Amino acid sequence: MNDFIFHNPDKIYFGRNALENLGAELKQFGKNVLLVYGGGSIKKSGLYDTVVKAVKESGLKLFELSGVEPNPRHTTANEGAKICKKNKINVVLAVGGGSTIDCAKGIAAAALTKSGDVWEIVKSGSPVKEALPLIAVLTNAATGSEMDEWAVISNMQTNEKIGIGGEGIIPKVAFENPEYSYTLPAYQTACGAFDIFNHVLDNYYLAGDATFDLILEFQEAVMRAVVKWAPVAMKEPENYEARANLMWASSMALNHILDAGTLHGCACHAMEHELSAYYDITHGHGLAIVTPRWLTYILDETTAPQIYRLGVKVFGLKEGMEAFEGARAAIKALETFCFETLGLKKNLSDLGIDETHFKAMAEHACKGSCITGPKTLTPEDVEKIYKMCL
């Protein structure tokens, strides 16, 4: 087990009546609120009206930024930062899924800089220590952004999708009502579910000293919850228990409690971010395509036992198989979950992607070096994995 520090000050209101506390929480940070959201879904569901009413009844002044993209652009975050500076915003309120919350984090950070340019923060690579207070109302179980210190911002002009992080952009408060995810299409539910799954798998004890049994069991429990409840939510969109399990799994998967003591480079996320940057595809779908190929590529005598354990503990495979046989069965079970149960297309070519940019993408994914994890990946390795995905 490796040394680690756990610190997460995010306050969570979870359940049907969570938003009753929105006004009181906003008021503690000041009078001027910037509401950040994506398209029209929160207006169609009535959530927009509920949020606006809570803000105004609390005597707060509301400003808005709509139109946040699925892979949030740095230009959109900069527009939000400009609004914050002009109107002396005190608190940023993100209402939506991970993309909206990520964009709001970028806004909150950039608003306190002289330039108001989030891309300067991205390129610096420095931890974000100060930002405007951020409050999140979650509508999609996926990224975990509602309870973590990370945000991923896209620059479509340079084909870059890069994360920023730091304690300054951890939400102060998050509201999680599973009912707000009822209107999600089955495809978005599937993509979000696999994003949750891979957040855990990217930090799973696949090799080395897997001695932290408590965290190992927690990791497997979260992945099991996704495997159990995602298909239920897809078939029964208003099944509260299914939506609740996925929403809390989203928060648990990436708030640092499950990666305690692990030393991974999050290989699948690193590789998929390049796909999203170049082709603007849905993040969770890209992960579903990449992950089984990555597991196949890293399969060896060191990783086989733990990949087999994944199959046993998460997918219910029988015990007693030889390690390599069990590992291959586990990867097959994962493929079945991704491409049959969740119904996601299994190849990059199905999404209109060819190998034109693979070399450049692999270099970017490795950031001029390599990706650490159960097996260190060079740019050449990453390019081979991309080709396996065609």
Side-chain angles (χ1 to χ4, degrees):
M1 185 196 310
N2 299 296
D3 295 353
F4 64 91
I5 297 172
F6 177 77
H7 173 71
N8 195 319
D10 196 346
K11 181 179 182 180
I12 304 294
Y13 288 91
F14 192 100
R16 292 181 172 91
N17 300 313
L19 272 191
E20 291 178 357
N21 303 283
L22 177 60
E25 291 292 351
L26 285 168
K27 285 175 68 175
Q28 67 176 310
F29 298 108
K31 187 175 182 64
N32 296 330
V33 180
L34 175 62
L35 171 61
V36 180
Y37 58 100
S41 60
I42 68 167
K43 291 187 174 181
K44 292 177 182 177
S45 69
L47 177 57
Y48 173 85
D49 293 333
T50 300
V51 168
V52 170
K53 181 180 179 182
V55 172
K56 293 186 175 179
E57 286 183 348
S58 299
L60 305 176
K61 190 172 183 180
L62 186 65
F63 300 84
E64 296 187 20
L65 175 69
S66 62
V68 175
E69 305 86 357
N71 290 304
R73 313 296 199 253
H74 77 291
T75 49
T76 305
N78 289 347
E79 182 181 347
K82 184 177 180 180
I83 295 172
C84 290
K85 286 176 170 291
K86 179 180 178 181
N87 299 286
K88 298 181 179 180
I89 296 296
N90 304 115
V91 56
V92 180
L93 173 61
V95 181
S99 296
T100 296
I101 301 172
D102 278 10
C103 186
K105 288 179 176 181
I107 291 168
L112 294 190
T113 66
K114 184 177 181 179
S115 68
D117 184 1
V118 72
W119 203 246
E120 290 184 1
I121 300 173
V122 172
K123 296 302 287 186
S124 76
S126 300
V128 180
K129 296 181 179 180
E130 294 185 354
L132 287 175
L134 171 69
I135 290 180
V137 178
L138 184 64
T139 62
N140 183 11
T143 71
S145 193
E146 68 278 0
M147 203 178 177
D148 70 23
E149 64 178 25
W150 303 106
V152 181
I153 306 296
S154 296
N155 185 330
M156 305 311 289
Q157 299 162 5
T158 59
N159 296 126
E160 292 178 283
K161 182 176 179 180
I162 304 175
I164 61 173
E167 62 181 25
I169 56 173
I170 299 174
K172 303 299 183 185
V173 187
F175 297 88
E176 302 187 27
N177 180 347
E179 294 173 324
Y180 298 149
S181 61
Y182 283 177
T183 57
L184 284 173
Y187 176 71
Q188 293 299 330
T189 299
C191 291
F194 195 77
D195 194 9
I196 299 169
F197 187 99
N198 189 264
H199 282 153
V200 183
L201 187 62
D202 253 349
N203 285 292
Y204 189 54
Y205 282 101
L206 284 170
D209 298 325
T211 57
F212 204 169
D213 292 342
L214 179 65
I215 295 300
L216 189 61
E217 296 280 356
F218 279 176
Q219 290 175 329
E220 291 161 351
V222 172
M223 288 188 284
R224 277 199 306 273
V226 173
V227 170
K228 176 180 178 179
W229 291 107
V232 178
M234 292 172 67
K235 293 177 182 177
E236 305 170 29
E238 297 188 11
N239 186 309
Y240 185 86
E241 292 302 314
R243 294 294 190 182
N245 273 275
L246 289 176
M247 191 163 276
W248 195 237
S250 167
S251 295
M252 288 295 100
L254 205 63
N255 67 7
H256 288 309
I257 200 166
L258 296 188
D259 59 0
T262 62
L263 290 173
H264 283 244
C266 297
C268 293
H269 271 74
M271 289 186 283
E272 199 293 318
H273 283 166
E274 297 304 316
L275 290 168
S276 297
Y278 275 81
Y279 298 101
D280 203 19
I281 66 173
T282 302
H283 176 56
H285 194 165
L287 286 172
I289 292 173
V290 168
T291 302
R293 278 68 176 218
W294 168 69
L295 283 176
T296 300
Y297 191 81
I298 69 168
L299 177 59
D300 59 22
E301 64 279 356
T302 305
T303 60
Q306 201 61 31
I307 296 175
Y308 180 23
R309 173 178 171 133
L310 172 74
V312 172
K313 297 292 186 177
V314 176
F315 293 105
L317 297 184
K318 66 178 182 180
E319 297 186 68
M321 285 189 276
E322 183 271 331
F324 270 89
E325 179 188 7
R328 292 188 185 98
I331 295 171
K332 179 63 178 176
L334 177 62
E335 290 177 332
T336 299
F337 175 65
C338 292
F339 309 128
E340 296 181 22
T341 304
L342 298 182
L344 299 172
K345 293 179 179 179
K346 68 183 299 182
N347 299 311
L348 293 178
S349 57
D350 295 328
L351 303 181
I353 297 172
D354 60 24
E355 61 181 279
T356 301
H357 300 293
F358 282 179
K359 186 175 180 60
M361 289 162 55
E363 293 284 350
H364 292 163
C366 293
K367 298 179 179 178
S369 179
C370 58
I371 302 174
T372 60
K375 184 173 181 178
T376 299
L377 301 178
T378 66
E380 291 74 20
D381 293 318
V382 172
E383 189 173 358
K384 289 177 182 177
I385 293 172
Y386 284 142
K387 290 180 179 179
M388 290 170 64
C389 297
L390 286 172

